Amino acid sequence: MNKDSVLILVTNDDGIRSSGIRILAQALADLGRVVVVAPDRNRSAVGHALTLEHPLRAEEIKPDVFAVDGTPTDCVNLGIYGLLRETPDLVVSGINRGSNLGDDITYSGTVCAAMEASLMGLPAFAVSLDSLKFQADDLALAAKFSRQLAETVLCDGLPPDTFLNVNIPAGGCRGVRLTRQGKRQYGDAVVTSQDPRGRKYYWIGGGEVGFQSIPGSDCNALHDQLISVTPLHTNLTNDKSLAELACWPLDSMLGEV
Ligand code: MN
């Protein structure tokens, strides 16, 4: 790996002002040139959203740091097709404030930014820290692990059609596990209350978040204070169901053609 020619694109969904992205960019800086392209505000839980209905602006707030008024997926697109003259060797998304485990990944802008890069054929991973508090020790561990993982991916690459979802435990780490995507239990996800003017409001995501205990899963790894590394791909086909649904009379649902 020739450090002088390495280009790393860094993004997130917490926004350009998040300490997580700053620490991540710093940690990767000794591996090559790091360009940050991130949303200009918090865009958490926008999933894989792409902005098609209005133009996007990118402001270079300092050299190689761009704030974009779009989604994390927009940032990856703009970074690769608009702002950088060369294709990055690696795309890293994070460090996210809060874990992205199990079904969370379908909502996560952090994970979907890595997914977008992977769809473009680039090696990519997402990093999330299992705490909203963002303690310095935990962030330092997340940054250090991200740097080591980035070096490995730059040297060895990733298997085809694969990106990584990395989650870092907070408050101490007992090791690293290769995991599979687990299963979230979201509980009562909508909180109902009244605003100061007496009008009712609803707030999604206020409920307790739990998980099903599945040995080998990302959720279990974090519960056991282990770093979780999950290889993901974008194909959501349920192969088992293909066989089970093969007997459905789908043609007859069409009626006479
Ligand atoms: Mn976020």
Side-chain angles (χ1 to χ4, degrees):
M1 189 181 74
N2 178 7
K3 180 180 173 293
D4 293 336
S5 66
V6 168
L7 179 60
I8 302 172
L9 176 64
V10 169
T11 191
N12 74 349
D13 76 358
D14 292 339
I16 197 106
R17 288 192 298 267
S18 168
S19 54
I21 196 167
R22 200 171 56 241
I23 289 166
L24 176 63
Q26 281 166 5
L28 299 175
D30 79 311
L31 295 173
R33 179 182 166 208
V34 175
V35 178
V36 175
V37 183
D40 61 359
R41 70 202 76 175
N42 191 335
R43 302 301 303 269
S44 292
V46 298
H48 200 194
L50 187 64
T51 301
L52 299 176
E53 288 295 320
H54 63 79
L56 294 166
R57 309 279 180 189
E59 185 191 354
E60 190 166 16
I61 55 179
K62 59 182 181 180
D64 282 349
V65 178
F66 296 86
V68 175
D69 58 347
T71 67
T73 293
D74 292 334
C75 291
V76 172
N77 274 276
L78 244 67
I80 290 165
Y81 296 128
L83 300 169
L84 296 171
R85 289 201 190 86
E86 338 142 48
T87 308
D89 301 287
L90 174 67
V91 176
V92 186
S93 179
I95 298 166
N96 189 62
R97 189 183 283 260
S99 59
N100 280 301
L101 302 167
D103 306 290
D104 294 345
I105 64 175
T106 59
Y107 302 106
S108 168
T110 308
V111 175
C112 288
M115 180 194 286
E116 181 69 4
S118 182
L119 287 173
M120 294 176 181
L122 301 176
F125 64 89
V127 192
S128 304
L129 177 58
D130 187 30
S131 168
L132 300 179
K133 290 185 192 147
F134 254 27
Q135 307 272 21
D137 287 1
D138 296 329
L139 270 173
L141 171 73
K144 184 180 158 199
F145 185 76
S146 300
R147 189 242 170 254
Q148 298 309 110
L149 184 63
E151 187 170 30
T152 302
V153 173
L154 285 167
C155 290
D156 300 346
L158 283 169
D161 188 30
T162 301
F163 60 105
L164 303 177
N165 182 32
V166 179
N167 282 275
I168 311 285
C173 174
R174 295 175 44 231
V176 187
R177 289 290 183 277
L178 199 57
T179 59
R180 54 177 58 245
Q181 184 187 343
K183 191 75 193 158
R184 274 294 201 196
Q185 285 166 339
Y186 292 109
D188 292 337
V190 178
V191 171
T192 309
S193 192
Q194 260 186 9
D195 73 13
R197 297 197 174 99
R199 288 178 309 170
K200 211 175 197 182
Y201 70 77
Y202 305 90
W203 203 315
I204 292 173
E208 279 287 300
V209 180
F211 67 96
Q212 276 178 26
S213 179
I214 301 169
S217 71
D218 51 4
C219 299
N220 284 48
L222 267 281
H223 180 261
D224 295 338
Q225 296 294 126
L226 299 163
I227 293 176
S228 166
V229 178
T230 312
L232 298 176
H233 62 174
T234 52
N235 193 326
L236 299 177
T237 309
N238 188 330
D239 282 314
K240 278 187 232 154
S241 295
L242 269 182
E244 195 179 322
L245 300 181
C247 61
W248 276 23
L250 294 175
D251 261 336
S252 73
M253 293 178 193
L254 202 56
E256 291 296 314
V257 183

